[in-house]
């Protein structure tokens, strides 16, 4: 991927948020997909994540994540996010939006949009994650360590249901 670096007035090399987003995407390519196993009940949604050997995976760390749907052998990116808490809880909130089980005090526009466009928790859903610590090692400019780089990652991955995208 081509970086959009530039030199400032003092001759120092500078990078833009899109440059770091591309680095995170490049690193994420090597990460495994985990299957999202969802079961809807009257109180909400129960989620599990399993690897390709059906081992249970715990996503209890902060980081960036991308949710995909496999349709006729093709992957489509549905949503990209970032959390400083647990990836599990953000994917869970998205899933609740997809099945219409959000409480009155909860919002997930991406999940609700996905539901309105026919996404169902019975679809073959996958998630790919990169831990925040690993992502931060790619960002050498302190200004961008707390930026919502998911807004730049979403258009790179052609995410269908992110609403706060930055365009290159």
């Amino acid at each position: 991927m081509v970086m959009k670096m530039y030199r400032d007035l003092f001759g120092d090399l500078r990078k833009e948020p899109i440059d770091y987003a591309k680095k995170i995407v490049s690193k994420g390519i090597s990460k495994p997909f985990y299957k999202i196993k969802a079961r809807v009940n009257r109180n909400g949604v129960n989620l599990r994540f399993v690897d390709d050997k059906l081992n249970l995976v715990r996503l209890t760390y902060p980081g960036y994540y991308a949710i995909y749907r496999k349709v006729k052998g093709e992957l489509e990116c549905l949503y990209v996010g970032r959390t400083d808490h647990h990836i599990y809880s953000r994917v869970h909130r998205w899933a609740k939006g997809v099945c219409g089980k959000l409480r009155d005090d909860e919002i997930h526009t991406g999940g609700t949009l996905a539901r309105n466009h026919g996404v169902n928790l019975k679809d073959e859903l996958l998630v790919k994650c990169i831990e925040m610590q690993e992502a931060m090692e790619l960002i050498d400019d302190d200004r961008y360590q707390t930026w919502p780089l998911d807004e730049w990652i979403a258009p790179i991955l052609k995410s269908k249901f992110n609403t706060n995208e930055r365009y290159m």
Side-chain angles (χ1 to χ4, degrees):
M1 291 185 182
V2 179
M3 301 290 253
K4 280 188 160 183
M5 296 181 279
Y6 66 94
R7 294 210 179 268
D8 65 15
L9 293 173
F10 302 104
D12 294 330
L13 194 59
R14 296 285 182 201
K15 295 177 189 166
E16 292 292 317
I18 190 67
D19 299 316
Y20 294 112
K22 288 177 181 178
K23 283 177 138 183
I24 291 169
V25 169
S26 292
K27 185 72 169 182
I29 289 171
S30 65
K31 300 296 181 182
F33 280 105
Y34 300 121
K35 290 180 184 176
I36 300 172
K37 299 290 187 181
R39 191 179 48 174
V40 179
N41 59 41
R42 63 184 175 91
N43 295 325
V45 179
N46 288 330
L47 278 189
R48 289 184 304 130
F49 302 95
V50 295
D51 63 16
D52 58 352
K53 295 178 180 148
L54 301 180
N55 295 315
L56 193 62
V57 177
R58 296 178 55 89
L59 302 179
T60 56
Y61 50 82
Y64 289 91
Y65 60 95
I67 300 170
Y68 291 84
R69 175 171 65 172
K70 191 179 261 188
V71 179
K72 297 179 184 173
E74 296 290 319
L75 287 173
E76 63 179 348
C77 183
L78 301 177
Y79 187 79
V80 174
R82 171 202 158 119
T83 180
D84 291 324
H85 302 289
H86 295 162
I87 289 174
Y88 172 90
S89 57
R90 295 305 301 154
V91 176
H92 184 254
R93 175 79 54 94
W94 179 86
K96 287 172 71 175
V98 167
C99 68
K101 294 283 188 174
L102 291 168
R103 295 187 321 251
D104 292 338
D105 63 338
E106 293 178 318
I107 295 174
H108 201 294
T109 309
T112 303
L113 256 165
R115 180 182 76 239
N116 293 341
H117 285 84
V119 175
N120 190 302
L121 292 181
K122 292 179 183 174
D123 295 340
E124 187 174 351
L125 300 173
L126 307 161
V127 65
K128 192 175 265 232
C129 311
I130 181 168
E131 290 188 45
M132 189 63 74
Q133 181 178 348
E134 196 172 357
M136 290 303 105
E137 291 170 3
L138 302 171
I139 302 171
D140 55 11
D141 188 332
D142 292 342
R143 295 177 301 165
Y144 298 124
Q145 293 228 338
T146 58
W147 274 44
L149 294 174
D150 54 316
E151 295 176 6
W152 279 269
I153 294 169
I156 295 170
L157 297 179
K158 297 181 173 89
S159 171
K160 292 180 78 172
F161 303 115
N162 280 76
T163 56
N164 294 331
E165 294 179 347
R166 306 288 183 192
Y167 292 94
M168 300 178 266

